[in-house]
Amino acid sequence: MAFFSLIKSVLSALLILTLANSSAGARPRKLDLWIPDTDLLTYHNGGVLQGNIPVSIIWYGYFSWAQKSIITDFLLSLTYNQWEPNPSVAQWWSTIDQLYLSKVGNNNKRTKVTLAHQSDNWYQWGKYLTMSQIAQLAPHATTPKGGITLVFTAQDVAVENFCMNHCAVHGSDQSSGTTFIWVGNSENQCPGQCAWPFHQPEYGPQTPPLLPPNGDLGIDGMVMNLASMFAGTATNPFGNGYYQGPQEAPMEACTACPGVYGKGAYPGFPGHLLIDSSTGASYNANGFSGRKYVLPAIFDPTTSSCLTLN
C-alpha cells in the first residue's frame, strides 16, 4: 500500500519565505512566483489513469446536502461541464490531460471522470481514524479497477497526522489496481493550514483571508486539496508515474506548485484571483451549475513553470 500526502501549500511557502529572508541577511528583495528546482518532474515509466475514470465517494461523518453538492458539482465540472466560460474546471482538467495523461502510451481517448457511487458512513470507527483505517474504508466503495475512491471526513473527525503532516492523502494498492484519496474538513481543526487562503495562516504574514467562493470555508478548502490529490492520483497513481524528488515523498502535478493559485503568487500571497461581483468571493475557475472554485496551479514539465488559470 502506497501513500502520498499533501502538506498544505501555505506551510511550504512560508518556510521558503523564512529561509530566504534569513539566508539573505534580511536584505530587501522582491519575492516573485516560486518555481520548483530544475530537478524536473518527469515520467518514470509507470501507469497513469486514462480513459474513463469512475469515482466513488464515502462520506464519513455528517455532511449536509449543501456541502456534498459543492464537492460533487466540482467532480461533475471536470469533464461534463465544457460549456462554462473559461477559466473553468474543465479547462484545468484538460491541461492535466494534455500535459501528462495523453503523453503515456498510445492513448487517443480524452480522459473523463464519472460519478459511480456514493455512500454515508456514520462514524463506524468513531471520531478518530488512523491512515490504515482510511485505507480499509476505501475498498467498501467497490470502485472498479482504474477508478478512484474518495474518502471525505467531516469537520468533527480527527485523522492521524491531520493538520500536523498533511491535509489530504492519496494511496493505492497496485495488486488490485485501485486508488483512493482522503481529504478532511479542517474548519474546526486547522483552517489556517488546510483552508488557506480562506483563513489567515497560522504562521507568517497575517494577510486578510479571501472569501470562499461557495461560502463554506471548510468545504472550499477541501475542494482545493481534493484537486491537488486528484491530479496526483491520475498522474502518479502507483508511485511510478509523474513525480519529482524521492519516490516516498514526491512532488506531483500540483503539489510541485505550493501556494500558487493565480498569477503573481509568492510565499504568503496566493496570486491574483477573480472576484465574484455579487458576493465578493474569490475564484479562478467556473464550474457546473454556476459554481465557482479556487484550484491550484499545475506544474508544466515542458517549461518548468507553474500554470494558473487566470
Side-chain angles (χ1 to χ4, degrees), residues 27-46:
R27 68 178 183 270
R29 62 183 297 177
K30 180 181 178 182
L31 289 172
D32 207 339
L33 175 65
W34 179 78
I35 298 175
D37 295 335
T38 53
D39 173 20
L40 295 180
L41 192 157
T42 55
Y43 179 53
H44 293 78
N45 301 314

Side-chain angles (χ1 to χ4, degrees), residues 183-254:
V183 186
N185 186 336
S186 68
E187 182 169 6
N188 292 343
Q189 300 181 56
C190 55
Q193 296 180 42
C194 296
W196 181 85
F198 304 132
H199 190 281
Q200 285 185 308
E202 292 196 10
Y203 312 101
Q206 296 299 298
T207 52
L210 306 180
L211 290 178
N214 296 288
D216 191 312
L217 178 153
I219 300 298
D220 279 304
M222 288 182 72
V223 170
M224 290 191 305
N225 298 333
L226 170 61
S228 289
M229 290 293 95
F230 210 96
T233 302
T235 59
N236 188 34
F238 305 112
N240 55 7
Y242 285 95
Y243 67 90
Q244 172 185 338
Q247 188 177 30
E248 64 276 8
M251 300 297 284
E252 299 173 325
C254 288

Side-chain angles (χ1 to χ4, degrees), residues 5-12 164-168 229 255 258:
S5 67
L6 169 64
I7 300 174
K8 188 53 189 161
S9 309
V10 64
L11 296 180
S12 301
M164 292 181 286
N165 294 335
H166 48 237
C167 302
M229 290 293 95
T255 56

Side-chain angles (χ1 to χ4, degrees), residues 126-205:
K127 294 188 176 182
Y128 176 80
L129 298 178
T130 63
M131 287 312 305
S132 63
Q133 287 175 316
I134 295 288
Q136 291 172 46
L137 269 175
H140 292 186
T142 61
T143 305
K145 184 177 181 179
I148 305 173
T149 298
L150 307 180
V151 179
F152 298 125
T153 50
Q155 62 191 49
D156 59 348
V157 177
V159 174
E160 179 185 9
N161 290 325
F162 186 28
C163 300
M164 292 181 286
N165 294 335
H166 48 237
C167 302
V169 165
H170 75 86
S172 65
D173 184 343
Q174 193 162 12
S175 63
S176 64
T178 58
T179 62
F180 72 89
I181 296 171
W182 160 75
V183 186
N185 186 336
S186 68
E187 182 169 6
N188 292 343
Q189 300 181 56
C190 55
Q193 296 180 42
C194 296
W196 181 85
F198 304 132
H199 190 281
Q200 285 185 308
E202 292 196 10
Y203 312 101

